Amino acid sequence: SFFCNPGLLELSLGKFRNVLLNQTNPVEAVIRNIASNVTVIIFQVHAQQSDVVISFDKNPSVNSSGTGVDKGLVSILQPQQSVCTWYLQSLDASQVLSTAISIPYMEKDPIPGGCNLEFDLEVDPNIYLDYTLVDIHIKFAPANLGYTRGANPPSCDSGTGQNSRWRLRYDVYQYFLPENDLSEMVLMSHIRKMSEVQSIKANGIKMLTLTTDDKTNVYFSSLPGQGVIYNVIVWDPLWNTSAAYIPVHTYACSFADLVDNCSSLSKLSTKVFFTALAILGLFTCFFGHRFWKTDLFFMGFIFAGFFFFVFITRVTGLGYDVRLILTAVAGIIGGLFLVASWWRFGSVLLCMFIIGLVLGFLFSSTVFFTPLGDYRVFRDDVVFWVTFSSVALMIPVLFVGCPRILNILASGIVGSYAVILAIACYVYTSLAYITLDLLRRVLNDYFSRAYTNVPFQTNDFIILSVWTMLALSGVTVQLRRERSEVPFPPHPYLTWKRERERRSTNVLDPSHHIPPLRERIHNKLLHIKEFFQKEQPAGERTPLLL
């Protein structure tokens, strides 16, 4: 049934039941007629955001209960036992929607959490999760080998051979909920896909395999606002049997916070910053090469703003809004500096190197945004940054002989990506993490240990299509418009200098006779003054002759 009445919850093995829990009336969950070949039952309950208590006793104790949004208990069955009972209640005064399931395992199946030495429960099948804005950390207790009813459990420290729990392997799986959907019923329906072994293998994404020599904790990049479910399958290679831990979910955000909660993650300052950048980027995408100085300002803004934000975050403890304002100021100064450098020195090579670096950084970030970025070799920071820099520098090197093509490609691709970043402030899209994961790695020393897999769903395909169309349209329009034009405008400072000399020597040039600037300003002010003077009365203005 969909819901059950408070008081008693009759369960069947392997069947989900949705139940409403409250604080005052514990629900008794019962399974009857358990088959004799079942040796272990893992009972679990899941809620979206409110903690629930699951216990072996009606009065929970630390060693016989668990509290959280995703919790479970392992019942080791005794000979002749055919009934199991657990107790459920919420910590919230209001009713809490939850879903519960009990999963049976046989004597050859490994027991999740059977060699727990860290947590309160003697046998703890739970996955413990905590998150920050940067990463998600999951950890779990090692498993033990299965055994028959009534027998003593195998020793967890009797040796490291093939007859001990050291032969077990742990496969870590990840599953993404639908994007932009924070509803309870969606979570309840999808967490079922990550509870049993065969369903996990069919629906989840296998991220890595751990041996007993590895630490049983894993890090992932945080995706605030995006629902993610994690689970672990422990596999016994000798018997080719498996068992699943308790799935755990997170949105990497708080539902309870009044500001910056799961429904409104982007700050107002972020929206203003990236919306303004997107307007400039959209203009640059289609007109960047024609309006060369605007293009230089845009690229200089990105280049200077990125490195200044990294610097100010690393060395100061300023708040986010203050850092973003200072970054905008630094970006404006950087953009004006690049424009001024071009005006004074006219070095196309220097300007194109900066523009090529910006495009190269975006290209390299895109390469590591793919599954290639999760290869274990790139956990090493030296390997990662050498490879990343080499890929980024490859772009300006490859296009050193055709700077106009490089500039048009850079303005089209980078300008259109600025639009994508603005969209990400209002609608979740994984494409924002192309550059965000790079920023996280620069700012956080331990982000290299995190797996950076992200969902790619319908919303992302639509936004990717928008990015592709904008980039292709911008590049095509600029190539067609500029094919008959000179590659770059002439050196502005030398042009101005030659023009000034020509005016000072060529007396036939009308501009030679233009008054100096000071005199022109003075004449203009006099003209304005006359405009506001009172009109003199009409009539005779000379004395009458006698």
Side-chain angles (χ1 to χ4, degrees):
S1 63
F2 191 71
F3 293 101
C4 76
N5 293 322
L8 182 65
L9 174 63
E10 292 279 357
L11 294 173
S12 300
L13 290 175
K15 301 293 184 181
F16 275 93
R17 290 288 298 277
N18 287 352
V19 56
L20 287 173
L21 302 176
N22 59 53
Q23 189 177 22
T24 55
N25 299 312
V27 172
E28 181 181 0
V30 179
I31 294 181
R32 309 180 193 277
N33 302 317
I34 301 172
S36 59
N37 63 339
V38 176
T39 58
V40 169
I41 293 178
I42 296 182
F43 177 65
Q44 55 189 270
V45 62
H46 304 277
Q48 186 186 40
Q49 52 179 304
S50 300
D51 285 346
V52 297
V53 179
I54 178 173
S55 175
F56 290 116
D57 307 313
K58 198 165 187 177
N59 297 315
S61 63
V62 174
N63 296 325
S64 66
S65 66
T67 302
V69 292
D70 301 289
K71 284 296 171 182
L73 298 174
V74 172
S75 293
I76 309 294
L77 301 181
Q78 300 301 317
Q80 309 306 318
Q81 182 178 354
S82 62
V83 177
C84 270
T85 303
W86 304 273
Y87 295 89
L88 305 172
Q89 68 182 98
S90 73
L91 294 180
D92 201 327
S94 59
Q95 287 189 322
V96 174
L97 173 64
S98 63
T99 187
I101 186 176
S102 55
I103 302 175
Y105 291 102
M106 314 305 172
E107 63 179 76
K108 292 185 179 181
D109 297 327
I111 301 175
C115 285
N116 171 46
L117 297 174
E118 182 178 357
F119 310 110
D120 292 328
L121 294 170
E122 182 179 356
V123 179
D124 195 337
N126 295 286
I127 298 173
Y128 293 84
L129 181 149
D130 57 82
Y131 69 86
T132 67
L133 286 176
V134 175
D135 59 19
I136 293 169
H137 176 212
I138 65 169
K139 57 183 177 179
F140 53 93
N144 200 358
L145 302 177
Y147 55 96
T148 59
R149 289 194 188 192
N152 293 322
S155 173
C156 291
D157 299 309
S158 61
T160 58
Q162 286 299 304
N163 293 323
S164 70
R165 58 112 176 171
W166 292 85
R167 71 181 186 231
L168 299 177
R169 300 289 182 268
Y170 303 87
D171 296 330
V172 181
Y173 284 81
Q174 184 182 49
Y175 179 87
F176 295 110
L177 295 175
E179 293 178 354
N180 301 306
D181 196 329
L182 304 176
S183 65
E184 283 183 315
M185 293 310 301
V186 166
L187 172 65
M188 298 304 161
S189 63
H190 285 272
I191 207 161
R192 301 181 178 192
K193 300 179 181 180
M194 290 293 287
S195 297
E196 298 180 88
V197 171
Q198 295 305 319
S199 181
I200 295 169
K201 291 181 178 179
N203 297 285
I205 303 169
K206 183 178 176 181
M207 298 301 298
L208 71 155
T209 298
L210 300 173
T211 66
T212 313
D213 294 326
D214 298 318
K215 292 182 178 180
T216 54
N217 58 74
V218 187
Y219 291 85
F220 298 88
S221 62
S222 185
L223 306 172
Q226 170 61 46
V228 190
I229 301 173
Y230 299 97
N231 207 346
V232 177
I233 294 176
V234 54
W235 173 55
D236 186 339
L238 181 62
W239 298 110
N240 194 27
T241 55
S242 301
Y245 281 72
I246 308 299
V248 61
H249 79 278
T250 182
Y251 296 89
C253 57
S254 171
F255 284 89
D257 291 347
L258 295 178
V259 294
D260 298 331
N261 55 43
C262 291
S263 301
S264 58
L265 286 169
S266 294
K267 294 177 178 289
L268 178 61
S269 58
T270 304
K271 292 179 179 179
V272 171
F273 181 89
F274 283 104
T275 301
L277 187 67
I279 294 172
L280 184 58
L282 188 62
F283 179 86
T284 305
C285 176
F286 288 93
F287 306 102
H289 195 73
R290 171 63 62 88
F291 296 89
W292 171 238
K293 293 177 185 177
T294 305
D295 187 25
L296 287 179
F297 177 82
F298 177 67
M299 296 299 177
F301 181 94
I302 293 174
F303 188 82
F306 177 84
F307 285 102
F308 183 81
F309 185 82
V310 171
F311 171 76
I312 199 172
T313 303
R314 279 283 194 175
V315 302
T316 71
L318 296 174
Y320 174 78
D321 290 339
V322 176
R323 282 182 285 141
L324 198 62
I325 292 172
L326 293 176
T327 298
V329 173
I332 291 171
I333 294 173
L336 293 175
F337 177 80
L338 193 59
V339 173
S341 299
W342 155 254
W343 191 90
R344 181 63 182 85
F345 302 106
S347 175
V348 173
L349 188 61
L350 173 64
C351 295
M352 292 315 302
F353 179 73
I354 299 295
I355 292 173
L357 272 184
V358 173
L359 179 60
F361 267 65
L362 180 57
F363 176 74
S364 190
S365 298
T366 306
V367 170
F368 283 97
F369 178 72
T370 66
L372 178 69
D374 279 333
Y375 280 19
R376 182 162 292 187
V377 65
F378 296 119
R379 297 274 178 267
D380 186 285
D381 281 330
V382 174
V383 175
F384 175 82
W385 288 115
V386 168
T387 307
F388 182 91
S389 302
S390 300
V391 175
L393 287 170
M394 181 177 67
I395 299 298
V397 170
L398 284 178
F399 289 92
V400 68
C402 40
R404 177 165 65 177
I405 300 297
L406 173 60
N407 185 53
I408 291 175
L409 286 175
S411 60
I413 296 172
V414 178
S416 56
Y417 184 70
V419 177
I420 302 305
L421 289 178
I423 293 174
C425 294
Y426 303 92
V427 179
Y428 176 87
T429 173
S430 297
L431 294 176
Y433 289 94
I434 292 176
T435 49
L436 184 56
D437 281 344
L438 172 66
L439 188 61
R440 287 171 168 179
R441 184 137 191 180
V442 173
L443 294 177
N444 300 275
D445 295 330
Y446 300 105
F447 189 71
S448 59
R449 65 191 176 184
Y451 287 85
T452 56
N453 188 39
V454 296
F456 216 81
Q457 301 176 6
T458 304
N459 195 49
D460 301 301
F461 283 107
I462 294 172
I463 296 177
L464 178 62
S465 300
V466 171
W467 183 18
T468 303
M469 287 189 294
L470 280 176
L472 288 176
S473 301
V475 170
T476 303
V477 167
Q478 291 196 75
L479 285 175
R480 290 179 62 87
R481 185 194 301 121
E482 303 297 330
R483 59 185 175 183
S484 59
E485 303 291 335
V486 294
F488 289 93
H491 184 182
Y493 179 71
L494 292 180
T495 303
W496 173 81
K497 197 173 180 181
R498 284 196 298 266
E499 185 69 13
R500 187 182 65 172
E501 292 174 353
R502 184 182 64 80
R503 288 176 178 176
S504 62
T505 57
N506 186 5
V507 295
L508 297 179
D509 188 348
S511 63
H512 176 78
H513 304 286
I514 296 176
L517 178 62
R518 186 186 227 174
E519 188 176 336
R520 278 182 283 159
I521 295 175
H522 180 69
N523 292 336
K524 182 64 72 175
L525 291 174
L526 285 177
H527 180 72
I528 294 173
K529 184 178 178 183
E530 290 174 0
F531 179 79
F532 288 101
Q533 281 182 341
K534 272 190 172 184
E535 187 177 352
Q536 296 296 329
E540 185 66 49
R541 295 182 185 173
T542 58
L544 293 176
L545 296 177
L546 295 177

